[in-house]
Amino acid sequence: MTESFKADCVVIGAGVIGLACAREMSLAGRDVILLERHYDFGQETSSRNSGVIHAGIYYRPNSLKARLCVQGKALLYEFCEQRQIEYNNCGKLIVACNAEESEALMALKHRAIENGVDDLSLVSPSQSPYPELRFHSALRSPSTGVVDTHGVMQHLIADIEDNGGSIAFGADVVTIAQESNQIVVNLPDSRISAKSVINAAGLQATQLVKPFLAGTEYAGLSPRFARGHYFRLKGRSPFKELIYPMPVRGGLGVHLTLDTTGTARFGPDVEFIEEEEIDYSVDPGRAPSFYGAIRQYWPDLPDNSLDADYAGVRPKLSVNGELLSDFVVLRSTGCTELVHLLGIESPGLTSCLAMGKYVRKFLI
């Protein structure tokens, strides 16, 4: 027998975006229930990324990614300071390895300025503090950093619970439907009638929104899953900043990141897969492609210095076969209390607190 419940505000997905939205709604006085299909928080994209606080450089001006990243960066640094969450405002270098890439790097600088990122500086090879690094020109971003993502999510949960919200783990949402003036969230053996629902289900979010897309500009929307692998550097990195090559289709290139302990990792690469192919193993046989990519800017990377580490899957989107470059936030036609957050990949971590505030405006 299917059990029925009533709720004020339901958030689907306990990744960093769902947690930030649930926190914001609970701070606004809403009675929040957060549903998560796994038995712990942040088990997918939120815990399988580079952990970078991005500056807002790469994204199309006035896009959601650009606006929320720049706003979210300031909010996230402030949140970490207030809660004593470990982070490192280490900065990063974006390196161009030839004259052609240097022209693209200047275009990237101009785009960043349009986005309100005004602290970038050009670095020539003679100014580099790293003799190991080979490049034609580089762009330094001093406001880029790395953060303890797990710590961020733990503090978001603490705020949700302190404000009366609750989290149900092992709650796998099957469908969302609109019935009269209620939104119904269907689980395998229960249903929840809610006033407001936020679909922040990450890799599953597009599946839940499909019944609401007919007749809209997103009728041809499909999920695209981009798996990215990471390799860990044995020993200490000679670099104190993050090192990024120029971006590639589907990602920002195989870059060097440092976690808050100083451990260096390289990744992610980009491998488009089908949903049924999602897994998080890393084939050590991928190492040669990593050595080749890294040696474009660190030519003396030693042999046998990389170990397979972890993988993540980014929830990208396409419409009629065309890959989208921005986050998509949809309110369902005729159902203004239902908000879908789709394609929330990088810079989702950086943008999480700003996204919470953005969604709150729709529902409060």
Side-chain angles (χ1 to χ4, degrees):
M1 181 177 178
T2 301
E3 293 185 273
S4 295
F5 304 92
K6 290 188 177 294
D8 175 27
C9 178
V10 171
V11 179
I12 304 168
V16 70
I17 291 291
L19 291 170
C21 290
R23 171 185 182 265
E24 195 65 40
M25 297 300 287
S26 69
L27 289 172
R30 299 294 296 271
D31 185 5
V32 175
I33 299 174
L34 180 58
L35 305 178
E36 168 54 50
R37 72 189 188 107
H38 294 289
Y39 288 90
D40 205 349
F41 61 89
Q43 292 298 292
E44 294 182 354
T45 309
S46 294
S47 60
R48 296 177 172 276
N49 56 59
S50 300
V52 173
I53 301 177
H54 286 283
I57 296 168
Y58 301 95
Y59 319 111
R60 178 172 49 83
N62 206 40
S63 64
L64 270 180
K65 281 188 177 182
R67 286 156 34 211
L68 296 182
C69 182
V70 172
Q71 296 166 17
K73 172 183 64 176
L75 291 171
L76 189 53
Y77 275 128
E78 181 182 15
F79 187 71
C80 290
E81 279 288 330
Q82 291 173 343
R83 307 307 174 87
Q84 297 184 320
I85 300 167
E86 194 170 7
Y87 73 93
N88 181 7
N89 183 192
C90 55
K92 84 172 177 184
L93 285 175
I94 305 172
V95 296
C97 293
N98 54 50
E100 183 179 357
E101 286 190 352
S102 288
E103 288 186 22
L105 188 70
M106 288 304 300
L108 203 58
K109 183 175 186 287
H110 292 312
R111 169 173 282 197
I113 292 170
E114 285 189 72
N115 289 340
V117 184
D118 57 5
D119 61 352
L120 304 181
S121 59
L122 289 170
V123 178
S124 68
S126 63
Q127 296 170 316
S128 172
Y130 309 115
E132 301 86 354
L133 194 61
R134 183 177 68 191
F135 60 93
H136 187 273
S137 63
L139 199 59
R140 172 169 281 125
S141 170
S143 61
T144 298
V146 293
V147 67
D148 174 9
T149 309
H150 189 82
V152 170
M153 291 190 284
Q154 284 181 315
H155 280 271
L156 293 174
I157 289 172
D159 282 358
I160 293 166
E161 293 177 339
D162 286 348
N163 287 283
S166 59
I167 303 177
F169 292 111
D172 191 3
V173 174
V174 180
T175 60
I176 307 171
Q178 183 181 0
E179 297 180 8
S180 63
N181 62 342
Q182 294 285 305
I183 307 162
V184 177
V185 179
N186 293 301
L187 290 83
D189 55 2
S190 62
R191 48 184 274 143
I192 303 173
S193 298
K195 179 182 177 183
S196 304
V197 173
I198 300 169
N199 169 16
L203 299 177
Q204 288 73 46
T206 310
Q207 186 64 37
L208 294 177
V209 78
K210 280 187 176 180
F212 300 93
L213 297 179
T216 75
E217 64 179 304
Y218 293 104
L221 188 72
S222 298
R224 295 292 307 278
F225 301 99
R227 181 164 53 205
H229 306 85
Y230 291 83
F231 279 74
R232 184 177 64 254
L233 179 68
K234 299 176 184 177
R236 304 294 290 184
S237 167
F239 310 110
K240 304 302 181 186
E241 300 168 86
L242 312 185
I243 309 296
Y244 276 60
M246 293 298 290
V248 298
R249 181 181 181 271
L252 300 181
V254 174
H255 48 265
L256 180 147
T257 61
L258 304 166
D259 65 19
T260 54
T261 70
T263 299
R265 292 179 175 84
F266 293 94
D269 56 358
V270 180
E271 178 191 17
F272 284 98
I273 59 173
E274 299 300 321
E275 184 173 10
E276 60 271 17
E277 297 175 306
I278 291 176
D279 73 69
Y280 300 106
S281 60
V282 181
D283 178 5
R286 303 185 74 87
S289 67
F290 275 72
Y291 282 104
I294 297 161
R295 284 172 174 156
Q296 295 297 308
Y297 54 87
W298 183 10
D300 294 327
L301 171 71
D303 290 338
N304 303 313
S305 59
L306 301 179
D307 281 335
D309 200 2
Y310 65 90
V313 177
R314 286 158 278 177
K316 294 180 177 291
L317 303 170
S318 69
V319 173
N320 299 323
E322 182 178 348
L323 203 63
L324 302 187
S325 61
D326 201 7
F327 299 151
V328 173
V329 177
L330 293 180
R331 298 174 76 185
S332 293
T333 304
C335 188
T336 57
E337 294 287 330
L338 173 56
V339 179
H340 301 276
L341 310 181
L342 311 172
I344 312 298
E345 52 161 346
S346 179
L349 169 60
T350 309
S351 305
C352 66
L353 296 175
M355 180 68 83
K357 292 182 180 296
Y358 182 74
V359 171
R360 174 177 171 168
K361 292 177 181 178
F362 293 138
L363 300 176
I364 301 297

